[in-house]
């Protein structure tokens, strides 16, 4: 049962943008297996880095050129030696593996969810 509610204004404060993964790097220092993702969020925002625990379902070749949904205004988070600048969004599948959230069709990088 959901007990917490958020106002519409609180929802609008979360800045969710589409971006295209341009680069994937290994992240051996992470406690749980993860990739470092360079995500192109368009000319206004630029390229931002994210750490994503998605190695169970996605190889680097599966990720390059793929659009994903990101939260860009949570502030950067240090994960070991890496600074994750945006949060890449996903849902857990039945086994708890992260399935990425992506636009149904290609949209301009930096497009905001509304």
């Amino acid at each position: 049962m959901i007990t917490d509610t958020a106002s519409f204004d609180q929802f609008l404060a979360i800045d969710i943008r589409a971006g295209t993964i341009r680069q994937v790097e290994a992240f051996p220092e992470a406690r749980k297996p993860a990739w470092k993702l360079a995500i192109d969020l368009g000319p206004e925002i630029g390229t931002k880095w994210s750490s994503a625990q998605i190695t169970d379902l996605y190889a680097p070749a599966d990720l390059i050129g793929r659009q994903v949904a990101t939260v860009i205004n949570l502030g950067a988070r240090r994960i070991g030696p890496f600074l994750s600048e945006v949060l890449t969004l996903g849902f857990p599948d039945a086994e708890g593996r992260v399935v990425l959230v992506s636009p149904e069709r290609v949209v301009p990088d930096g497009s905001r969810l509304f």
Side-chain angles (χ1 to χ4, degrees), residues 7-90:
S7 71
F8 191 68
D9 287 338
Q10 288 172 316
F11 172 75
L12 290 177
I14 301 168
D15 195 348
I16 301 172
R17 304 284 183 123
T20 301
I21 298 171
R22 300 292 181 203
Q23 185 177 341
V24 179
E25 295 181 3
F27 190 5
E29 303 90 355
R31 280 187 278 151
K32 295 181 180 179
W35 297 121
K36 296 178 189 176
L37 308 175
I39 303 171
D40 180 355
L41 292 160
E44 179 184 323
I45 301 164
T47 298
K48 300 291 182 183
W49 284 89
S50 180
S51 170
Q53 296 173 355
I54 56 175
T55 59
D56 288 342
L57 295 179
Y58 302 96
D62 301 325
L63 295 168
I64 301 293
R66 181 186 185 102
Q67 280 198 311
V68 292
T70 64
V71 178
I72 67 165
N73 66 335
L74 291 178
R77 182 174 175 207
R78 181 153 303 283
I79 303 169
F82 180 70
L83 189 64
S84 187
E85 300 172 292
V86 298
L87 175 65
T88 304
L89 298 177

